[in-house]
């Protein structure tokens, strides 16, 4: 549907389409992240020296973030590489940037096994020092850094990554295999045991009585590591060590963690600390997380679309959890400004800004969350979708328009349903406890019919749960969301129904057989007073990607007619729905679409065939042409060129007529134009008004709550049919 939508919105002049049409979209337009999250937590970014000196990058920082971390410049090994040697240059420039711009900093980091001032462990001769000497050096280091920057710092990562990772039940210590310690076997730990952690926090508190002091680590969502961190911090706090908060680094990926794992850690840590910061958030596109790294550097390659969707969805899910825990989470910091800066390498595409510092859709998705949906649970009155195959329970829809999916694909890594809330690229399913992929749309879908498909590990498939419908140039899955006015296309048991006939005819101009579907109203062919009645004909065109089955099946054209006739709202007429040769057009060439081939087929071949084989009234005032989307474009081109053939014209989300385009005002008795209110309603209203002002019998419809989809066109047909042939 998306492709159809974009082609057609072009015609309808919709703005939304441009994003998907490949024209540049500015996802950073609107407020900054920091403003969107004002009532929640501060939003931070880790920076390098280029980020704070290049004006374009500075502009991004100032707009989006209200917390900054120096990515490397403040680390002990960088700022204090040798005894008595201090590299304050870069560290100061980042601090001064923040001071000048009124941005507060997270001080990262005072004590870490990596990028550390390893000279602290040895004397001038290279011999190991006693722990007292180490503590003296560490204290001087911490005091110097903290005193220099505490005016601009609100939180310090005092100790970084002191705990052991999961998955190592045993380890070698002094050449022996022993039960693994909960602590990382760092030089710090080997020299001091866990006392170095307590000391570092004490030194930091001495130097800065006001700043928040954090223990910071990765893989906090892993069951084992979460508990090791919890035990350590609890033990320290019980002993009076001044730990204020836990930093959960957040080096995650597009598949992991899920909301439960994340919440478990947040809940656990909030038992013992009042402050949690997500200190180093990035989402790589491989399956790794935390400390085991496979970098994806080198020349930037585009990220496959389905991975983008997975990443956007993962960001959306994680931030939803963060927002839910805003009482304890007071900062979320992205680790790096852009994919270009990322320590993971540009081909992990981990951040909301790309390698050219352009905002990605992830930024918009993180920013434009819907607070109302955050706390809303859909009603549990889901029933099987009316389009389902016999005996299939899923997909389901509820009374509010939410759709729920269930897909069995035991070995798949990801399953995405192409249906979902605006712009998000669909609904990402997750495996339930039985290993089955399940998920519900984030919000209610527009009422009416939607095409959709599944993307499983990047490959496109139909959902075996539903019937298939021809759209996007292939048979796609379909789902039907209940509409408030659905009675007008309901299959009523107590009225007579017309017939659909499949017509095959030879097209000389194309040199091949062509197909059309013909709706014959109930009573067609009956002999009344020795005569068979003859009927007017509406030639009704489908849109791009569709064919002669689209109006009769998902368009419900026959049911709409049956109901109108049964209710006495119209006199019966025939509808001919032919394949309109729209699908060979490539998107780039839509501007050159002339409908000339189809004009020949329609006027020289199909209409004569219909008039010869059916009981038609074969004249202009008993012939109408209308079409949806690209079929509207076809209709406009052909009716303007051949006004002698059709007396009634209709464009359904398929452009507009301008009065000056119609040479003879008497050549058309009725013009209909319609679209969804999510398309280009002003365009329709203006055009209808200008036609009316010019004296045409014109009428419009703006369909409520719908976009470029079939409910819009069903409603258009319903309204337009009542005015034809009068
Ligand atoms: C990373 C930096 O981003 C890299 O530039 C550097 O080479 C290595 O360190 N956990 C941390 C951060 O606490 O300091 C690390 O930063 C990423 C993992």
């Amino acid at each position: 549907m998306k492709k159809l939508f974009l082609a057609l919105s072009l015609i309808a002049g919709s703005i939304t389409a441009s994003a998907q049409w490949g024209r540049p979209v500015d996802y950073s337009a609107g407020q900054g992240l920091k403003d969107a999250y004002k009532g929640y937590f501060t939003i931070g970014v880790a920076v390098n020296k280029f980020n704070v000196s290049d004006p374009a990058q500075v502009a991004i920082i100032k707009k989006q973030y209200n917390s900054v971390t120096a990515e490397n410049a403040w680390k002990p090994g960088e700022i204090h590489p040798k005894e008595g040697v201090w590299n304050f240059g870069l560290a100061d420039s980042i601090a001064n940037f923040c001071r000048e711009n009124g941005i507060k900093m997270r001080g990262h980091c005072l004590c870490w096994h990596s990028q550390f001032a390893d000279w602290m462990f040895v004397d001038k001769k290279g011999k190991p020092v006693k722990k007292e000497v180490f503590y003296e050096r560490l204290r001087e280091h911490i005091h110097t850094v903290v005193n220099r920057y505490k005016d601009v710092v609100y939180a310090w990562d005092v100790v970084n990554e002191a705990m052991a990772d999961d998955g190592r039940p045993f380890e070698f210590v002094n050449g022996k295999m022993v039960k693994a310690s909960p602590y990382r076997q760092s030089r710090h730990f080997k020299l001091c045991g866990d006392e170095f952690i307590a000391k570092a926090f004490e030194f930091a508190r001495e130097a800065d009585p006001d700043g928040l002091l954090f223990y910071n680590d990765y893989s906090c969502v892993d069951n084992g590591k979460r508990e090791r961190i919890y035990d350590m911090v609890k033990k320290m706090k019980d002993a009076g060590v001044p730990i204020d908060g836990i930093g959960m680094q957040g080096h995650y990926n597009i598949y992991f963690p899920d909301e439960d794992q994340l919440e478990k850690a947040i809940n656990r840590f909030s038992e013992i600390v009042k402050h949690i910061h997500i200190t180093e958030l990035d989402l790589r596109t491989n399956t790794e997380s935390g400390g085991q790294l496979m970098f994806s550097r080198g020349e930037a390659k585009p990220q496959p679309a389905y991975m983008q969707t997975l990443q956007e969805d993962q960001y959306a899910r994680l931030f939803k959890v963060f927002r839910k825990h805003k009482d304890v989470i007071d900062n979320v910091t992205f680790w790096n400004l852009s994919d270009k800066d990322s320590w993971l390498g540009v081909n992990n595409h981990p951040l909301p800004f790309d390698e050219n510092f352009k905002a990605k859709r992830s930024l918009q998705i993180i920013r434009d969350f819907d607070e109302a949906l955050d706390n809303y649970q859909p009603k549990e009155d889901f029933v099987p979708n009316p389009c389902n195959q016999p005996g299939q329970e899923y997909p389901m829809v509820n009374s509010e328009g939410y759709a729920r999916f269930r897909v069995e694909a035991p070995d798949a890594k990801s399953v995405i349903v192409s249906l979902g809330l605006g712009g998000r690229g669909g609904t990402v399913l997750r495996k339930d406890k039985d290993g089955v992929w399940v998920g519900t749309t984030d919000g209610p879908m527009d009422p009416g019919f939607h095409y959709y498909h599944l993307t499983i590990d990047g490959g496109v498939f139909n959902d075996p749960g539903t019937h298939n419908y021809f759209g996007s140039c292939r048979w796609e899955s379909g789902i039907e969301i209940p509409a408030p006015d659905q009675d007008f296309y309901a299959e009523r048991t107590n009225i007579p129904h017309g017939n659909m006939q499949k017509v095959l005819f030879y097209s000389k101009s194309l040199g091949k057989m062509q197909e059309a579907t013909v709706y014959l109203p109930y009573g067609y062919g009956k002999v009344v007073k020795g005569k068979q009645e003859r009927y007017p004909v509406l030639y009704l065109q489908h849109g791009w990607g569709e064919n002669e089955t689209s109006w009769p099946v998902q368009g419900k054209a026959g049911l709409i007619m049956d109901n109108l006739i049964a209710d006495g709202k119209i006199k019966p007429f025939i509808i001919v729905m032919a394949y309109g040769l729209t699908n060979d057009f490539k998107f780039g060439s839509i501007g050159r679409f002339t409908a000339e081939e189809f004009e020949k087929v329609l006027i020289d071949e199909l209409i004569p065939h219909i008039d010869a084989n059916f009981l038609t009234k074969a004249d202009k005032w008993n012939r109408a042409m209308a079409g949806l989307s690209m079929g509207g474009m076809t209709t406009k081109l052909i009716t303007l060129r051949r006004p002698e053939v059709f007396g009634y014209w209709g464009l359904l989300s398929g452009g507009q007529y301008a009065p000056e385009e119609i040479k003879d005002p008497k050549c058309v008795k009725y013009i209909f134009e319609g679209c969804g209110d999510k398309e280009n309603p002003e365009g329709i209203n203006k055009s209808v008004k200008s036609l009316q002002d010019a004296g045409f019998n014109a009428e419009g419809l703006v369909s409520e709550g719908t976009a470029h989809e079939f409910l819009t066109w069903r409603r258009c047909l319903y309204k337009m049919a009542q005015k034809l042939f009068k």
Side-chain angles (χ1 to χ4, degrees), residues 20-57:
Q20 307 177 26
W21 186 244
R23 275 184 239 144
V25 187
D26 182 5
Y27 290 115
S28 70
Q31 62 181 342
L33 285 178
K34 64 175 168 39
D35 304 308
Y37 280 88
K38 216 175 194 168
Y40 291 85
F41 30 74
T42 56
I43 305 278
V45 62
V47 299
N48 58 38
K49 63 178 172 192
F50 305 107
N51 301 149
V52 294
S53 50
D54 170 56
Q57 298 176 43

Side-chain angles (χ1 to χ4, degrees), residues 71-72 75 108 112 115 160-161 216 249 251 280 335-336 343:
E71 182 189 9
N72 287 305
K75 288 173 179 169
H108 177 83
W112 188 23
Q115 293 176 286
N160 204 26
E161 304 179 356
N216 189 45
Q249 289 188 3
H251 296 295
E280 306 181 17
W335 201 250
N336 298 116
W343 71 307

Side-chain angles (χ1 to χ4, degrees), residues 379-582:
K379 276 205 188 109
E380 284 303 324
D381 57 358
F382 286 87
V383 294
N385 153 51
C387 303
N388 284 4
Q389 308 235 23
Q392 295 296 320
E393 247 192 310
Y394 286 86
M396 290 195 165
V397 290
N398 82 351
S399 57
E400 302 161 300
Y402 283 75
R404 181 168 285 170
F405 305 91
R406 185 177 190 278
V407 176
E408 294 196 35
D411 281 341
K413 260 169 72 188
S414 67
V415 179
I416 303 169
V417 181
S418 62
L419 277 182
L421 284 197
R424 209 58 95 109
T427 299
V428 174
L429 307 189
R430 290 282 168 108
K431 263 190 184 173
D432 70 4
K433 58 176 184 355
D434 303 320
V436 180
W437 296 87
V438 291
T440 305
T441 52
D442 273 326
M445 304 295 303
D446 287 353
F449 175 83
H450 307 284
Y451 296 103
Y452 77 97
H453 57 257
L454 308 175
T455 301
I456 302 184
D457 294 350
V460 173
F461 304 91
N462 282 0
D463 183 342
T466 70
H467 282 290
N468 297 330
Y469 302 84
F470 201 84
S472 299
C473 297
R474 59 183 206 85
W475 295 94
E476 281 220 289
S477 303
I479 196 167
E480 186 76 43
I481 307 294
D485 53 346
Q486 61 193 3
D487 284 354
F488 81 85
Y489 53 85
E491 211 172 79
R492 281 153 63 182
T493 54
N494 54 350
I495 61 164
H497 291 273
N499 286 316
M500 286 290 175
Q501 272 194 23
K502 183 163 175 162
V503 171
L504 265 177
F505 65 101
Y506 179 71
S507 161
K508 217 169 150 193
S509 65
L510 299 173
K512 57 183 175 184
M513 298 304 289
Q514 288 294 288
E515 295 186 6
T517 315
V518 176
Y519 168 79
L520 300 173
Y522 173 80
Y524 174 89
K526 246 199 220 154
V527 181
V528 179
K529 291 186 194 150
K531 253 179 71 187
Q532 284 180 309
E533 200 184 330
R534 302 190 82 87
Y535 300 88
V537 185
L538 163 64
Y539 288 83
L540 184 60
Q541 294 310 123
H542 56 82
W544 179 88
E546 297 174 332
N547 68 9
E548 69 284 353
T549 65
S550 304
W551 264 115
V553 182
Q554 53 269 41
K556 301 203 184 265
L559 291 171
I560 294 171
M561 290 295 288
D562 293 343
N563 292 337
L564 279 167
I565 295 166
D567 293 341
K569 290 193 164 134
I570 60 170
K571 284 219 189 95
F573 58 82
I574 293 171
I575 304 183
V576 176
M577 296 155 278
Y579 172 55
L581 311 182
T582 55

Side-chain angles (χ1 to χ4, degrees), residues 3 90 151 185 224 276 283 289 348 394 457 459 470 553 598 645 696 701:
K3 278 194 212 140
L90 179 54
D151 65 295
Q185 296 304 300
I276 292 176
L283 297 185
S289 61
N348 259 310
Y394 286 86
D457 294 350
F470 201 84
V553 182
F598 183 64
V645 184
F696 289 95
L701 173 72

